[in-house]
């Protein structure tokens, strides 16, 4: 909680100390309007979505469900879970809420904020938790009762997440031509709690919106709790569907059924153009990702971190749509390359001894690489569209697209060797799921560095070659400057001058020659590293010993 709560609270406290005294004794000519209500409603929707995901993955069933569901009623279990989750959220919100209440009471010389802020915070959080629990139970119920949803839950969940964050992005970036104003959400009654929040202050508020917001929250708490109870009861006590039963007539030979069971399990995805053990390894990799999507959570940190940085730059006016194409090429290429092969030995689990003796190293490594390559068409389309939307010409957009595909290939080949050298054999528990084996953190960090740095340089050669040339010249300028500070004649002075001259030489290269030469160096260097990584992964597999 120190990083997520204490540090931001301290920063807000510093801002309050600076600016709240300026408001004391003033009569601000401001009233709560539709954009303010829309902003509060947007944050409420975001909280509901995140709480729904948390319910589906971590709290779809009560802790010690066999004991709880035979000891108390389902209503008690549902309401108890909502209360517990609300208290968790309020724990994180308490420091900021306390600061807001004290600042409001001091700034407007009124004791009402000390009562209103906790009331609004409690209603806001409780309603979001209730709605999140309802949606989470609905998602878990669909997975448990609908065969199609159960069979494709990974793809469907990823699609819903991308659609949500894509739409949420449109509310965050008004610079986009298809952006949506936050005032649009001002019609959502839960956002009307903003009027209740300023009761007792000189800020204008509407009694109609106050009553409507409180009534809406009451409906969410009572109606949402009632629906959550009934859906959770059905989910907890009904028998889940068996997704292994496809309804197809079994084939006559056991071998044919064993081989095509994988193909049916990953449908509608498929692994074209390859056959034999390589295809089976690729299909197993896709099946693991579908059945245990929690293994891929490590991809979310860099993706959302990079996406948040881009959004922040655009909101602050430091970025434009032109950044979307390069970012898509690097992020999507890395994501596809890292998704399947960063923990190959750990993913095999107890069948690893069989895999080591039943499959050749060449077939195993190629099977780990193949699933990542299946996503190159999607990366091509997304990168090309974002580059064209960002204002790049057709040739530059095609170059960025090719870079995204190149990074996918290189990243997919680098992943197995890093995962084999840094395997994770021990399973960890994520929420209510069974034990899963995500890649080791160090393997993920090394893969990020290996793909992002050259990837950023490649897209920089297309989008901002002058900046790349300046950064590369720092290889000479920076150490030359440091050595110049400590040198007192002799060899260090000579070396410092040589490094400075090298930086100046790079800085003075013609832009066209620099782009072509450095770009070819990065591409051929990446291909060479990928080839050595491919050969090394094969040798690592063939010489691996179990202890």
């Amino acid at each position: 909680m120190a990083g997520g709560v204490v540090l931001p609270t301290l920063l807000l406290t510093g801002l309050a100390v600076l600016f709240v005294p300026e408001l004391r004794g003033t009569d601000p000519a401001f009233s709560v309007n539709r954009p303010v209500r829309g902003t509060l409603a947007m944050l409420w929707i975001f909280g509901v979505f995140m709480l729904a995901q948390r319910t589906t993955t971590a709290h779809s069933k009560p802790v010690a469900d066999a004991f709880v569901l035979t000891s108390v009623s389902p209503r008690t279990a549902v309401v108890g879970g909502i209360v517990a989750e609300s208290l968790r959220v309020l724990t994180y919100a308490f420091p900021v809420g306390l600061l807001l209440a004290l600042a409001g009471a001091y700034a407007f010389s009124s004791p009402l904020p000390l009562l209103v802020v906790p009331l609004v915070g409690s209603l806001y959080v409780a309603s979001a938790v209730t709605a999140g629990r309802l949606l989470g139970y609905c998602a878990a119920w669909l997975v448990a009762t609908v065969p199609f949803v159960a069979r494709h839950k990974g793809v469907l969940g990823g699609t819903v997440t991308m659609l949500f964050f894509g739409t949420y992005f449109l509310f965050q970036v008004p610079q986009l031509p298809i952006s949506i104003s936050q005032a649009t959400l001002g019609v959502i009654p839960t956002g009307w709690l903003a009027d209740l929040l300023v009761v007792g202050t000189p800020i204008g508020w509407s009694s109609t919106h106050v009553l409507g917001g409180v009534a809406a929250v009451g409906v969410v708490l009572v109606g949402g709790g009632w629906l959550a109870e009934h859906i959770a009861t059905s989910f907890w006590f009904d028998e889940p569907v068996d997704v292994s039963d496809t309804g197809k007539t079994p084939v006559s030979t056991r071998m044919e059924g064993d081989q095509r069971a994988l193909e049916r399990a990953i449908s509608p995805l498929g692994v074209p153009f390859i056959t034999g053990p390589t295809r089976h390894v690729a299909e197993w990799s896709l099946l693991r990702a579908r059945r245990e999507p929690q293994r891929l959570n490590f991809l979310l940190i860099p993706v959302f971190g990079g996406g948040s940085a881009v959004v922040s730059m655009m909101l602050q006016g430091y970025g434009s749509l032109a950044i979307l194409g390069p970012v898509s090429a690097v992020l999507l290429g890395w994501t596809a390359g890292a998704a399947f092969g960063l923990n190959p030995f750990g993913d095999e689990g107890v069948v690893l001894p069989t895999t080591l003796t039943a499959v050749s190293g060449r077939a195993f490594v190629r099977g780990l690489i193949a699933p990542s390559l299946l996503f190159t068409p999607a990366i091509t389309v997304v990168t090309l569209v974002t580059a064209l939307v960002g204002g790049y010409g057709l040739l530059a957009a095609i170059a960025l697209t090719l870079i995204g595909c190149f990074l996918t290939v290189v990243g997919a080949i680098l992943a197995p060797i890093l995962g084999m050298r840094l395997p994770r054999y021990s399973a960890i528990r994520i929420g209510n799921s069974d034990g899963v084996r995500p890649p080791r953190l160090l393997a993920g960090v090394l893969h990020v560095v290996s793909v992002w740095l050259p990837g950023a340089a490649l897209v920089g050669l297309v989008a901002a070659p002058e900046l790349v040339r300046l950064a590369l010249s720092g290889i000479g300028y920076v150490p030359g400057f440091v050595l110049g500070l400590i040198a007192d004649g002799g060899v260090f002075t000579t070396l410092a001058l040589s490094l400075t001259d090298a930086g100046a030489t790079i800085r003075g290269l013609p832009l066209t020659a620099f782009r072509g030469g450095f770009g070819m160096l990065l591409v051929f260097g990446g291909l060479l590293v990928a080839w050595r990584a491919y050969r090394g992964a094969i040798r690592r597999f063939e010489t691996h010993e179990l202890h």
Side-chain angles (χ1 to χ4, degrees):
M1 292 183 63
V5 178
V6 176
L7 183 58
T9 304
L10 292 176
L11 294 176
L12 292 175
T13 302
L15 294 175
V17 171
L18 291 175
F19 296 105
V20 168
E22 302 295 329
L23 296 175
R24 187 172 176 83
T26 62
D27 187 9
F30 176 77
S31 60
V32 178
N33 52 22
R34 191 167 178 176
V36 174
R37 300 184 186 107
T39 301
L40 198 65
M42 182 182 67
L43 295 175
W44 186 83
I45 293 173
F46 181 82
V48 168
F49 181 80
M50 300 305 295
L51 289 166
Q53 281 196 321
R54 177 175 165 84
T55 299
T56 304
T57 58
H59 297 290
S60 58
K61 292 184 177 180
V63 178
D65 54 322
F67 169 73
V68 172
L69 298 181
T70 56
S71 303
V72 298
S73 66
R75 177 178 300 175
T76 301
V78 170
V79 175
I82 291 174
V83 172
E85 189 73 350
S86 299
L87 293 176
R88 288 192 192 98
V89 178
L90 287 172
T91 301
Y92 288 92
F94 175 76
V96 176
L98 179 62
L99 174 63
L100 183 62
L102 294 175
Y106 176 79
F108 302 114
S109 302
S110 172
L112 282 179
L114 298 176
L115 301 175
V116 172
V117 171
L119 174 62
V120 172
S122 300
L123 293 176
Y124 192 78
V125 168
S127 60
V129 170
T130 303
R133 282 293 167 113
L134 173 60
L135 294 178
Y137 288 143
C138 287
W141 179 82
L142 289 174
V143 172
T145 57
V146 181
F148 178 81
V149 177
R151 192 173 293 113
H152 306 289
K153 61 181 180 180
V155 176
L156 293 174
T159 302
V160 170
T161 300
M162 288 189 292
L163 289 176
F164 175 82
F165 282 103
T167 306
Y168 194 77
F169 181 77
L170 297 180
F171 285 97
Q172 294 289 326
V173 186
Q175 294 89 344
L176 289 174
I178 57 173
S179 64
I180 306 174
S181 173
Q182 296 178 2
T184 307
L185 301 177
V187 297
I188 298 178
T190 51
W192 299 353
L193 291 177
D195 291 83
L196 179 59
L197 190 63
V198 300
V199 170
T201 70
I203 299 175
W205 53 278
S206 168
S207 58
T208 302
H209 286 93
V210 169
L211 295 176
V214 173
V217 169
V219 171
V220 170
L221 293 175
V222 177
W226 181 79
L227 287 174
E229 175 198 345
H230 285 72
I231 294 173
T233 301
S234 176
F235 168 63
W236 291 339
F237 294 102
D238 290 348
E239 190 70 22
V241 297
D242 183 8
V243 296
S244 62
D245 183 11
T246 60
K248 296 184 179 180
T249 304
V251 294
S252 58
T253 62
R254 181 177 181 275
M255 179 62 69
E256 180 66 18
D258 289 345
Q259 290 179 351
R260 292 303 93 213
L262 276 174
E263 183 180 0
R264 293 193 300 268
I266 65 172
S267 177
L269 295 176
V271 184
F273 308 123
I274 57 176
T275 58
T278 299
R279 180 174 183 174
H280 296 158
V281 173
E283 289 173 340
W284 269 115
S285 299
L286 290 170
L287 186 60
R288 288 192 194 99
R290 167 174 290 182
R291 289 183 173 176
E292 297 178 348
Q294 300 93 334
R295 295 171 55 256
L296 305 181
N297 283 352
F298 74 98
L299 299 173
L300 300 180
I301 298 175
V303 170
F304 284 119
S308 299
V310 172
V311 171
S312 298
M313 290 175 60
M314 298 183 72
L315 290 176
Q316 297 174 11
Y318 298 122
S320 65
L321 294 177
I323 199 173
L324 294 180
V327 169
S328 298
V330 176
L331 282 183
L332 294 179
W334 172 81
T335 303
F340 302 99
L342 267 180
N343 190 30
F345 290 155
D347 289 339
E348 293 298 310
V350 295
V351 301
L352 179 58
T354 304
T355 303
L356 291 172
T357 56
V359 183
S360 68
R362 188 184 303 271
F364 185 75
V365 174
R366 288 181 177 180
L368 294 175
I369 296 172
S372 297
L373 304 184
L374 296 176
F375 292 90
T376 51
I379 295 172
T380 299
V381 172
V382 174
T383 306
L384 184 62
V385 170
T386 54
L388 292 175
V389 170
Y392 291 94
L394 181 60
L395 292 178
I398 293 175
L400 290 174
T401 302
L402 293 176
I403 291 171
C405 296
F406 173 75
L407 294 177
T408 301
V409 174
V410 174
I413 298 174
L414 286 177
I417 186 63
L418 292 174
M420 290 178 182
R421 290 187 177 275
L422 299 167
R424 180 196 290 274
Y425 295 108
S426 58
I428 63 175
R429 185 177 176 87
I430 302 176
N432 285 339
S433 65
D434 295 330
V436 297
R437 297 177 179 88
R440 286 185 62 179
L441 180 61
L442 181 57
V445 171
L446 291 176
H447 195 270
V448 167
V449 174
S450 302
V451 175
W452 282 30
L453 289 182
L458 281 172
V459 298
L461 291 175
V462 176
E466 298 91 348
L467 183 60
V468 176
R469 184 176 60 180
L470 177 61
L472 189 63
S473 66
I475 296 176
Y477 280 128
V478 174
F481 174 76
V482 174
L483 286 176
L485 294 177
I486 62 176
D488 188 15
V491 66
F492 286 105
T493 301
T494 304
L495 182 58
L497 292 175
S498 299
L499 290 172
T500 303
D501 291 340
T505 301
I506 296 174
R507 183 74 182 278
L509 289 174
L511 196 58
T512 303
F514 174 76
R515 295 176 74 176
F518 190 50
M520 292 179 61
L521 178 65
L522 289 174
V523 171
F524 286 111
L527 293 176
L528 178 61
V529 170
W531 173 252
R532 291 183 63 85
Y534 171 71
R535 302 295 300 176
I538 294 175
R539 288 193 302 270
R540 191 79 177 179
F541 179 88
E542 293 175 345
T543 59
H544 184 69
E545 296 180 358
L546 298 175
H547 299 283

